Amino acid sequence: MFEDLIYVLEKYHGWLFDGLLLTLQLLVISVIFGSLLAVPLSIARTSKKLWIQAVPFGFIYLFRGTPLIAQLFMMYYGVGQLIANIDGIQDSWTWTYLRDPYWYCLITFILNTAAYVAEIMRGGINNVPAGEVEAARACGMTPLTTYRRIIFPRMWQIIWPAYTNDVIFTLKATSLASTVTMMELTGAARKIVARTALPYEAFISAGVIYLIIVYVLTFGFKGIEKYLRRNEFRQADKKPTVKIGTQA
């Protein structure tokens, strides 16, 4: 088995590397654009007006309440088929992009990430101490300034561990792209299995790469968390220590 593992790594390391690059690309783009989309969704979810909450609530409920693989199939086979049936679309220059599963996977991951992150952000916004918000209003800050200077910085401190877990979840979710012919890391491993009939060696190689990515992400996010909570650590260091002594 060890010799077969070395054989897979030596002969097919290029496939694994290309799959790794595609996995990281899907992850980074999905997290960035999903988080940006989650900001207005989370703000709308905290509104006291029901008609403002309705649309983001429906969006979040849909994407959190259905399996990601079902969303991926609906996007690729459903929406993709509808687009393919449009008259003249296959003769257009846009068909080069519209037939590529990459864009359907990317859009699905972005929307799914936005739904989960929006709900995480909503919880963070609701848990920002009310006293800090009231103090900002008393200082004459506008709602936009209050969000920018008070609510969002505190929200990130609160939600960062949950946000880290969601990023790691998104990393693992990118493996589903292989079900629609994408050759990301899991897809590359499946291709190696089809070529060599060595499933253990191929998927062990992919699994080790996933573990390395998760370790790097966890280490990096912990560093960012320490930066976000730097004021709390400073206050903890400044607390006086009480020494209990005995009187003669």
Side-chain angles (χ1 to χ4, degrees), residues 7-38:
Y7 168 78
V8 168
L9 292 175
E10 287 182 348
K11 187 172 180 61
Y12 298 102
H13 65 275
W15 289 6
L16 292 171
F17 182 73
D18 291 340
L20 169 63
L21 292 181
L22 182 55
T23 294
L24 293 177
Q25 188 180 102
L26 290 172
L27 172 67
V28 172
I29 297 176
S30 299
V31 169
I32 291 175
F33 286 94
S35 299
L36 291 175
L37 181 58

Side-chain angles (χ1 to χ4, degrees), residues 154-179:
R154 291 289 284 138
M155 177 202 72
W156 280 113
Q157 292 178 1
I158 294 169
I159 73 170
W160 195 252
Y163 182 77
T164 301
N165 289 336
D166 188 75
V167 172
I168 294 174
F169 168 80
T170 303
L171 167 66
K172 294 183 289 185
T174 58
S175 62
L176 294 177
S178 63
T179 61

Side-chain angles (χ1 to χ4, degrees), residues 72 105 174-184 186-188 190:
L72 194 58
C105 291
T174 58
S175 62
L176 294 177
S178 63
T179 61
V180 290
T181 71
M182 289 288 290
M183 288 297 104
E184 41 68 60
T186 301
R190 294 174 65 179

Side-chain angles (χ1 to χ4, degrees), residues 117-149:
V117 174
E119 198 63 12
I120 293 173
M121 287 183 174
R122 181 193 65 83
I125 292 173
N126 288 335
N127 281 283
V128 172
E132 296 183 11
V133 179
E134 292 298 328
R137 292 173 180 171
C139 293
M141 290 187 185
T142 63
L144 181 61
T145 304
T146 301
Y147 267 99
R148 182 172 58 86
R149 301 187 63 179

Side-chain angles (χ1 to χ4, degrees), residues 164 213-226:
T164 301
I213 299 172
V214 170
Y215 176 80
V216 173
L217 287 175
T218 303
F219 183 80
F221 278 111
K222 281 186 177 180
I224 297 175
E225 183 179 3
K226 289 182 180 180

